[in-house]
């Protein structure tokens, strides 16, 4: 399993925009997923994994819901997760950054 440590978060403008435009239940679930990412990155429900075929730096992805319908992408800067996108699976596959 991927062994990473996250001590904090930074947010891209695009992530903030994605979060604001998401339905309220997605916003709440995203906040919960991020809390879990910080406390237990290896939690099975997050399905944390790096995206393949992307130019460096590595883009990581977690699931917001068990259904995988919504996801969050981020890059690591040391132990700070730089949040890039919040979107549906299709959106993230097309534009992960």
């Amino acid at each position: 399993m991927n062994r990473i440590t996250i001590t904090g978060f930074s947010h891209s403008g695009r992530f903030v925009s994605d979060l604001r435009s998401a339905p309220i239940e997605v916003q709440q679930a995203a906040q919960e997923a991020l809390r879990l990412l910080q406390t237990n990155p290896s939690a099975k429900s997050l399905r944390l994994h790096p995206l393949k075929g992307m130019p460096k730096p590595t883009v990581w992805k977690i699931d917001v819901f068990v259904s995988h319908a919504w996801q969050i992408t981020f890059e690591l800067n040391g132990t700070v997760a730089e949040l890039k996108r919040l979107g549906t699976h299709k959106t993230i596959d097309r534009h992960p950054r």
Side-chain angles (χ1 to χ4, degrees):
M1 185 64 205
N2 303 305
R3 299 256 180 226
I4 65 171
T5 300
I6 296 175
T7 58
F9 298 100
S10 63
H11 308 84
S12 69
R14 192 163 196 180
F15 178 84
V16 171
S17 175
D18 289 346
L19 186 63
R20 282 191 187 132
S21 63
I24 189 71
E25 63 273 9
V26 173
Q27 293 178 29
Q28 293 167 342
Q31 295 296 344
E32 189 57 40
L34 292 172
R35 277 191 287 278
L36 184 57
L37 177 64
Q38 193 167 12
T39 59
N40 183 13
S42 61
K44 291 242 184 265
S45 63
L46 294 176
R47 290 183 62 237
L48 171 68
H49 64 279
L51 295 179
K52 301 201 183 326
M54 296 290 300
K56 298 287 184 196
T58 299
V59 175
W60 295 83
K61 181 164 70 169
I62 62 169
D63 287 328
V64 174
F65 295 110
V66 176
S67 68
H68 321 307
W70 286 78
Q71 301 172 328
I72 294 172
T73 61
F74 63 94
E75 295 172 0
L76 281 176
N77 183 3
T79 60
V80 175
E82 297 177 3
L83 304 176
K84 297 298 182 182
R85 296 298 314 265
L86 165 67
T88 63
H89 194 184
K90 184 186 282 186
T91 299
I92 295 298
D93 283 351
R94 290 182 181 159
H95 305 286
R97 284 194 168 106

